[in-house]
Amino acid sequence: MIINWMSVGLVILILIVWFRRMIIKVQLQRLNVPPNTPLSFQRKLEYVKQAEQEKHVSALLFLTIFLAIGLLLTTYGLFQMEDQLHVVTERTNQLKDELYTLKKEQKQIINKLPIKAYPSKGIGLKEYPWDDLFSEENREKQYEIESDLSTKVSPYFGLSTTLIVLDIPTQTLNIALAGDSGSEENRQQIKDNVKAFAKEAKDVSKLTQITFQMNLMNDKEKKKTYSCTFSRENADEEFTLIQEEE
C-alpha cells in the first residue's frame, strides 16, 4: 500500500513540474519584442530564455529520474502482488484439498451408518412451495428446495443429490434422486423407503414422476446400482412403480 501511494505521489510531482515548465515555455514563446526595444533588454531577454531552457533540460533529467523510480516502485509492487496472489492461490488449493478430505471422511462415516426407516409422518414434502417453482426466474428457489431435500433424505437413502425437473407448458415436475447408500445390506430398507417416499409424494399435486438411482457397495467393494421409477397420470392418483432394476 505504501509503495502504491509513493508511486502516485511521484506521478503527481512529475505532472506538477511538467505543467509548470510548459507554462513558462508558452509564456516566453508568446512574448513579442517590439523592433525599437533597446538592445540591452533584448540581451537580458535572451539570457532569461537561455536560463529557462537550461532549467527545462534539468527538469527533464529530474523527471526521467522520477519516472525511473516510479517504474521501479510499480514493478516492485507488481512482484509483491504476484507473491501475495501465489500465497492466496496456494492457500485456496490447500483449503480445497482439506474440504475434499473432509467430505471424503464425512462420506465414509455416513456410509457406515445404517439406513433409517422412512418416518411414518414423512419429511414434509407438501410443505415446499412447489407452485412458486413455475414463476418466472425462480431458479434460486428450485436450488434451495433441491439442497434441502438432499439433506432431509440422506438418512433414508444415504448420500444423495436431488434434481427437480420442471415442465413449464404442462405445469408438472419430476424428482430425481441419485446417490451412494454405502452398503448393499441397505438394499431392502432403501426399497421400503423409496415406496414410502412415493406414497408421501402423492400430496404434491404437480408431481408426475419420481426417479431413484442408488449405488450400493457389496462385501467385495464393487458397486451395484438399484434404480426405479414411479409415475402417475393424475394428481389425485397414487404413484405406481413402472420400472425397477436391481
Side-chain angles (χ1 to χ4, degrees):
M1 180 63 71
I2 296 177
I3 294 177
N4 293 337
W5 281 112
M6 290 176 63
S7 300
V8 172
L10 282 175
V11 171
I12 294 175
L13 180 61
I14 290 171
L15 291 175
I16 292 174
V17 174
W18 176 84
F19 188 68
R20 185 171 181 274
R21 288 287 98 196
M22 286 298 298
I23 291 177
I24 295 174
K25 180 177 177 61
V26 171
Q27 288 177 342
L28 290 175
Q29 288 178 344
R30 295 177 62 182
L31 184 61
N32 296 322
V33 181
N36 56 351
T37 302
L39 184 59
S40 60
F41 179 79
Q42 293 183 16
R43 289 177 179 175
K44 290 180 180 180
L45 182 59
E46 288 298 326
Y47 174 78
V48 171
K49 288 183 177 181
Q50 185 177 358
E52 291 298 330
Q53 187 66 30
E54 292 177 357
K55 290 181 180 180
H56 290 334
V57 174
S58 299
L60 182 61
L61 292 174
F62 280 112
L63 292 180
T64 303
I65 294 174
F66 289 154
L67 283 173
I69 295 174
L71 182 60
L72 288 175
L73 289 174
T74 302
T75 304
Y76 179 73
L78 289 176
F79 279 124
Q80 273 197 328
M81 186 178 298
E82 184 178 355
D83 291 339
Q84 293 175 358
L85 180 61
H86 178 72
V87 172
V88 172
T89 302
E90 289 293 327
R91 181 57 180 163
T92 302
N93 292 334
Q94 182 181 354
L95 290 175
K96 287 182 179 179
D97 292 339
E98 292 176 356
L99 181 61
Y100 174 78
T101 303
L102 182 61
K103 286 184 176 180
K104 187 176 181 180
E105 292 176 352
Q106 181 188 32
K107 182 177 180 180
Q108 291 174 349
I109 293 174
I110 293 177
N111 286 342
K112 292 179 181 179
L113 297 176
I115 297 296
K116 296 181 179 180
Y118 199 84
S120 57
K121 63 179 181 179
I123 59 173
L125 285 178
K126 65 179 181 180
E127 304 299 329
Y128 288 104
W130 300 106
D131 292 337
D132 294 346
L133 296 182
F134 295 92
S135 303
E136 294 183 1
E137 299 182 0
N138 209 337
R139 296 286 295 176
E140 183 177 350
K141 177 63 68 175
Q142 180 177 341
Y143 296 147
E144 181 181 333
I145 294 178
E146 289 175 346
S147 177
D148 193 61
L149 265 180
S150 296
T151 302
K152 282 188 175 180
V153 300
S154 59
Y156 317 113
F157 303 113
L159 290 174
S160 61
T161 300
T162 303
L163 177 64
I164 298 172
V165 182
L166 303 178
D167 188 348
I168 304 297
T170 60
Q171 290 285 294
T172 60
L173 59 89
N174 300 334
I175 293 181
L177 289 96
D180 192 342
S181 66
S183 173
E184 192 176 2
E185 297 175 357
N186 298 317
R187 177 187 293 270
Q188 187 56 49
Q189 185 62 66
I190 289 176
K191 293 172 66 174
D192 294 339
N193 291 346
V194 166
K195 294 176 181 178
F197 182 92
K199 184 177 181 180
E200 182 189 2
K202 176 188 176 182
D203 295 331
V204 183
S205 61
K206 294 184 180 297
L207 185 60
T208 58
Q209 183 169 297
I210 306 171
T211 303
F212 291 87
Q213 181 171 324
M214 297 293 159
N215 293 321
L216 307 169
M217 300 291 291
N218 61 19
D219 295 335
K220 296 181 180 180
E221 294 299 315
K222 292 183 179 180
K223 281 189 176 181
K224 291 185 178 181
T225 301
Y226 168 72
S227 62
C228 62
T229 301
F230 292 83
S231 182
R232 66 179 177 181
E233 294 293 333
N234 301 315
D236 56 347
E237 294 179 350
E238 296 278 353
F239 278 97
T240 304
L241 180 63
I242 61 173
Q243 183 181 3
E244 185 177 24
E245 295 181 3
E246 302 187 39

